[in-house]
Amino acid sequence: MAAVTRLFRSSASSSSAAAYFTRRSLTTAAATELRSQSCIPRIDPKGRNFQWVFLGCPGVGKGTYASRLSALLGVPHIATGDLVREELSSSGPLSKQLEEIVNQGKLVSDEIIINLLSKRLEMGETKGESGFILDGFPRTVRQAEILTEVTDIDLVVNLKLPENVLLEKCLGRRICSQCGKNFNVATIDVKGENGTRDISMAPLLPPPNCVSKLITRSDDTETIVKERLRIYNEKSQPVEDFYRSQGKLMEFDLPGGIPESWPKLLEALNLDENEDKQSAAA
Ligand code: ADP
């Protein structure tokens, strides 16, 4: 992780391509196999590093599934949106600038985001973390190129839901201001049109002690969500193509809410929740 952190720093601060190209390879034989087969092999992950990326539109549930997998696999879930929000609430020198960008649904500059990510990786390094599940990064092809230059990504999971469901999910999103957990008050029952599938999702309601502490993200308004979706299609969808062409992209159409989707996602990843942490179906 140390090399990744250092190289991120030099990528953010220097335009010299030379700074990018001392890559740290953390791939194992299994990861190499994964790339060559472009499907998920049944592997025992003990002793290997997970360096995964979660892609998907705003509201698709990247944070929910990435954090569940992070707990299951024992690797950190690093969400750049959370890093941005932490910086925003810290009233540090960047917060005013970030507030304006985030509240317009725009993307923060690559330099700022890579600096925040580097700081987070450095912190993890001091705690002995290894591997990661990145959520919200990379979001532009440039960010994906920088990531490729500094380390190897084993797998990219692309979570998908129809766009009308995404909007409803963002508008129903609530966060407990005390424990930080995410909930959703929307009941989704969308009939498929023009070949799209029906989607039903029960709300994910908070426990009684969180109910009075729920807050809504300032960028989860209809206008800002629509702008974030527009920007995703423009800037982030090419990132899907970037990883697809490398054979690393696993597409996953969410079949519904967490109870239906989680077991199917584990199955697609060949992971078994009933085994110990760090263990997958062999
Ligand atoms: P979303 O629900 O839209 O996926 P996130 O929580 O991931 O939102 O991010 C919130 C905001 O933080 C984004 O709208 C953007 O302004 C900023 N942000 C997060 N990650 C990145 C990134 N990799 N590059 C640029 N901006 C980012």
Side-chain angles (χ1 to χ4, degrees), residues 102-106 218-229:
V102 172
N103 286 338
Q104 287 173 31
K106 306 265 184 283
S218 61
D219 58 347
D220 273 344
T221 65
E222 184 164 347
T223 316
I224 304 177
V225 171
K226 284 186 171 158
E227 177 63 1
R228 280 157 56 208
L229 287 168

Side-chain angles (χ1 to χ4, degrees), residues 174-178 183 206-216:
R174 300 289 181 274
I175 302 155
C176 173
S177 55
Q178 191 165 42
F183 302 100
N209 51 335
C210 293
V211 170
S212 62
K213 297 161 197 137
L214 295 184
I215 52 169
T216 306

Side-chain angles (χ1 to χ4, degrees), residues 56-59 62 79-82 84-85 98 101-103 105-110 113 135-140 143 170 173 217 219-220 228 232:
C57 286
K62 297 185 293 292
T80 45
D82 289 346
V84 167
R85 281 183 289 279
L98 288 179
I101 301 170
V102 172
N103 286 338
K106 306 265 184 283
L107 293 184
V108 170
S109 73
D110 290 347
I113 214 79
D135 151 8
F137 186 94
R139 238 181 173 94
T140 62
Q143 290 178 8
C170 283
R173 187 149 61 181
R217 267 171 55 171
D219 58 347
D220 273 344
R228 280 157 56 208
Y232 185 90

Side-chain angles (χ1 to χ4, degrees), residues 32-51:
T32 309
E33 190 188 340
L34 169 71
R35 271 199 298 282
S36 63
Q37 294 179 356
S38 69
C39 65
I40 313 298
R42 286 193 166 261
I43 47 169
D44 181 350
K46 283 195 182 99
R48 72 171 282 218
N49 279 296
F50 287 89
Q51 302 206 142

Side-chain angles (χ1 to χ4, degrees), residues 68-109:
R68 283 178 163 237
L69 282 168
S70 126
L72 183 69
L73 300 172
V75 295
H77 164 216
I78 302 180
T80 45
D82 289 346
L83 301 180
V84 167
R85 281 183 289 279
E86 271 163 35
E87 189 65 33
L88 263 174
S89 60
S90 73
S91 322
L94 272 182
S95 67
K96 191 87 208 114
Q97 194 188 342
L98 288 179
E99 190 177 357
E100 249 173 59
I101 301 170
V102 172
N103 286 338
Q104 287 173 31
K106 306 265 184 283
L107 293 184
V108 170
S109 73

Side-chain angles (χ1 to χ4, degrees), residues 101-205:
I101 301 170
V102 172
N103 286 338
Q104 287 173 31
K106 306 265 184 283
L107 293 184
V108 170
S109 73
D110 290 347
E111 188 177 354
I112 293 177
I113 214 79
I114 287 169
N115 262 313
L116 292 175
L117 185 54
S118 299
K119 270 201 258 168
R120 169 62 188 82
L121 289 169
E122 259 169 19
M123 202 256 299
E125 194 188 320
T126 60
K127 292 198 293 183
E129 283 178 356
S130 78
F132 48 69
I133 300 180
L134 288 180
D135 151 8
F137 186 94
R139 238 181 173 94
T140 62
V141 170
R142 183 67 199 123
Q143 290 178 8
E145 285 168 353
I146 292 174
L147 189 61
T148 301
E149 286 160 4
V150 299
T151 195
D152 283 314
I153 293 301
D154 302 314
L155 175 69
V156 180
V157 179
N158 188 25
L159 298 181
K160 287 158 60 176
L161 275 174
E163 196 146 315
N164 48 353
V165 175
L166 295 168
L167 180 61
E168 281 195 46
K169 279 197 72 204
C170 283
L171 298 181
R173 187 149 61 181
R174 300 289 181 274
I175 302 155
C176 173
S177 55
Q178 191 165 42
C179 72
K181 285 206 177 114
N182 282 283
F183 302 100
N184 207 300
V185 296
T187 301
I188 292 171
D189 205 356
V190 172
K191 285 264 158 279
E193 283 168 12
N194 307 324
T196 61
R197 56 217 157 89
D198 295 353
I199 300 269
S200 300
M201 288 187 199
L204 180 61
L205 297 174

